[in-house]
Amino acid sequence: MSPSYFEIVQLTNGDYALRRIDDDSAPLVRISFSPEAKDMLDDRDMAVAKAMIAAGIEAVGNITHDIDWEDDETDTVETRPSYTLH
């Protein structure tokens, strides 16, 4: 499997997104700031978006490091819908 490379881009609507360089499909992560948050950030929204994405990648790395993948393969969990039917 070839390694994937990622990029952070600013979308036309002003949101920031993490996506694969070689793939134009939907981004893996999208960050959107409210107008009030953008005012408070004073044009530092790109730096904050980068920091948020970096923190998310680090958290995923920590979580996957702690998972015992062999145990998950043998366990079968019955999933139920996460909604209430009326």
Side-chain angles (χ1 to χ4, degrees):
M1 176 187 249
S2 65
S4 291
Y5 294 96
F6 301 95
E7 63 184 353
I8 298 173
V9 296
Q10 186 171 19
L11 304 175
T12 56
N13 67 355
D15 289 354
Y16 294 95
L18 176 69
R19 67 179 185 189
R20 287 187 175 87
I21 288 177
D22 58 351
D23 189 0
D24 287 334
S25 63
L28 300 167
V29 173
R30 185 183 299 234
I31 296 175
S32 176
F33 295 104
S34 70
E36 181 181 2
K38 284 184 179 186
D39 288 343
M40 290 185 335
L41 292 172
D42 194 30
D43 292 327
R44 292 185 295 259
D45 48 336
M46 177 59 152
V48 173
K50 284 182 181 180
M52 292 170 71
I53 290 171
I57 291 169
E58 182 179 346
V60 168
N62 292 338
I63 290 169
T64 57
H65 183 276
D66 294 339
I67 294 175
D68 187 0
W69 294 102
E70 291 179 14
D71 286 345
D72 289 347
E73 293 174 4
T74 58
D75 295 342
T76 56
V77 178
E78 211 174 294
T79 59
R80 303 187 122 234
S82 60
Y83 56 84
T84 303
L85 181 62
H86 294 278

